[in-house]
Amino acid sequence: MQHEEAWDVIIVGAGAAGIGCAIVLHDLGVSRFTLLERHEVGASFARWPAEMRFITPSFMSNHFGMLDLNAVALGTSPAHSLQREHPSGPEYAQYLQALAAHWELPVQTGVEVYHVEPQGEGFLVHTSEGTMRSRFVVWAAGEFQYPRLHPFPGAEHCLHNSQVRSWAELQGDEFIVIGGYESGIDAAVSLCALGKRVRVLDGAASWESDSVDPSLALSPYTAERLDAALATGRVELIGDAWVTRVEREAGYTVCTEDEQWTTSAAPILATGFEGSLRLVRELLEWHEAGQARLTSDDESTITPGLFVVGPAVRHEQVIFCFIYKFRQRFAVVARCIGERMGLDLMPLNLYRQQAMFLEDLSGCDEDCVC
């Protein structure tokens, strides 16, 4: 790679968001773009625990004008490709790799992005393979590879769920899971299926939420599996349990202000992810609640030309953390880039038609689609 190789668009990350956005740019006619991936295409999915499955179902319905909920490209369906309703992480990585090959996307793997530096009307992207110049940068590095490992003192004694390759590999008969949203309940259900006893501690008792937004409440897929696990008597849910610290002596002691529990196995952290946006933190404006402030085109409000796609995107109360939600934003970003490059935007009409079917699902208003 030559020093300061020049591109019109650099996409950082080749997961669901990066691959999906790249295909829209390809369809729009952007020719000089590349994707930088520090591992391989779909790396985060490939690293899921072996037992973890998509909570959103895949179903072949393209001929009715609707995408498979887990698809990131028009005319594709993980359900059809993988013959799975709830794909595993490695299976979904195969789907993304097949898309990259079919569209001949210019993915560069094994490239670590160190720093994005605004310069003039573009950026210098400093990487492990040298420096590249680009007019636009689309940040799609995702979250799973950036877990929240230090939410309280003593968390270093715990094991984050993203660090587990298979729940069957863990030694012990009793476990404590800290966090009761999707990943925490998934851990509990998987351990229960192996005959383990599990306590789930969660301050907000997330399993009790009656929100209609699956970004805030358990999915039916998870709730159904939780009911089956609770029926065994091996899973205990403890709400209003705000963990303040974990101590390790002979075993592990998990403490709240009022109670404590002891276990011989390392507690499981299901405390979510810090996300990759911290790597470009100084290029973004931030809400008090900790989310990046973006324009209606998902562009940084303080660094023109830097766009964000993927689960970190939020607008007011709308959380785009599921694939079927954040894929609607690909064409929004592509439209903005295409306008500034003077490209014909007609190819994006197909994406407008598909997005119209999905607006009600995400709570997105008419300005959210191209």
Side-chain angles (χ1 to χ4, degrees), residues 240-257:
D240 197 27
W242 300 95
V243 174
T244 57
R245 68 187 187 280
V246 171
E247 300 173 351
R248 183 177 183 184
E249 293 181 1
Y252 301 84
T253 302
V254 180
C255 305
T256 66
E257 289 187 357

Side-chain angles (χ1 to χ4, degrees), residues 121-133:
E121 295 184 356
F123 299 89
L124 293 180
V125 180
H126 303 284
T127 79
S128 57
E129 297 297 318
T131 300
M132 302 184 198
R133 184 182 297 276

Side-chain angles (χ1 to χ4, degrees), residues 229-272:
L230 289 171
T232 68
R234 294 194 296 271
V235 174
E236 180 183 6
L237 303 179
I238 303 175
D240 197 27
W242 300 95
V243 174
T244 57
R245 68 187 187 280
V246 171
E247 300 173 351
R248 183 177 183 184
E249 293 181 1
Y252 301 84
T253 302
V254 180
C255 305
T256 66
E257 289 187 357
D258 303 316
E259 296 185 70
Q260 61 183 37
W261 297 266
T262 301
T263 177
S264 59
I268 305 299
L269 289 181
T271 49

Side-chain angles (χ1 to χ4, degrees), residues 155-189:
E156 66 273 12
H157 302 310
C158 304
L159 180 66
H160 196 277
N161 74 295
S162 66
Q163 299 169 320
V164 176
R165 299 281 70 82
S166 171
W167 297 108
E169 296 176 354
L170 301 190
Q171 301 298 312
D173 297 319
E174 295 188 358
F175 291 85
I176 292 176
V177 175
I178 302 171
Y181 186 49
E182 290 288 348
S183 59
I185 299 303
D186 182 76
V189 168

Side-chain angles (χ1 to χ4, degrees), residues 7-11 21-22 24-26 28-33 123 134-139 297-299 304-309 329-345 348 370:
W7 304 91
D8 287 323
V9 184
I10 288 178
I11 299 174
C21 191
V24 179
L25 291 177
H26 173 279
L28 184 58
V30 178
S31 58
R32 292 198 311 152
F33 75 93
F123 299 89
S134 182
R135 182 175 176 184
F136 303 101
V137 170
V138 177
W139 194 266
D297 295 317
D298 295 353
E299 185 176 17
L306 173 65
F307 297 86
V308 179
V309 295
R329 312 300 296 173
F330 300 159
V332 174
V333 171
R335 177 191 60 185
C336 188
I337 291 174
E339 285 177 343
R340 295 183 194 178
M341 292 181 64
L343 300 177
D344 179 9
L345 303 182
L348 295 181
C370 66

Side-chain angles (χ1 to χ4, degrees), residues 348-367:
L348 295 181
N349 283 343
L350 277 176
Y351 292 92
R352 176 193 290 272
Q353 295 167 12
Q354 290 290 341
M356 288 174 63
F357 286 102
L358 300 170
E359 290 174 15
D360 291 339
L361 292 178
S362 71
C364 190
D365 62 29
E366 62 182 2
D367 292 328

Side-chain angles (χ1 to χ4, degrees), residues 16 45 48 52-60 67-72 77-79 82 84-89 91-92 181-182 186 212-215 217-223 225 319-327 358 361:
F45 296 100
W48 278 12
M52 186 178 285
R53 297 292 183 270
F54 268 70
I55 60 175
T56 45
S58 285
F59 193 83
M60 294 170 284
L67 288 179
D68 182 317
L69 283 183
N70 297 316
V72 294
S77 166
L82 302 170
R84 295 289 187 274
E85 183 176 16
H86 294 276
S88 69
E91 288 169 342
Y92 194 76
Y181 186 49
E182 290 288 348
D186 182 76
V212 297
D213 186 348
S215 300
L218 292 181
S219 67
Y221 176 69
T222 301
R225 292 183 299 138
I319 307 172
F320 289 89
C321 65
F322 285 107
I323 287 173
Y324 76 85
K325 290 186 175 186
F326 68 65
R327 71 184 179 199
L358 300 170
L361 292 178

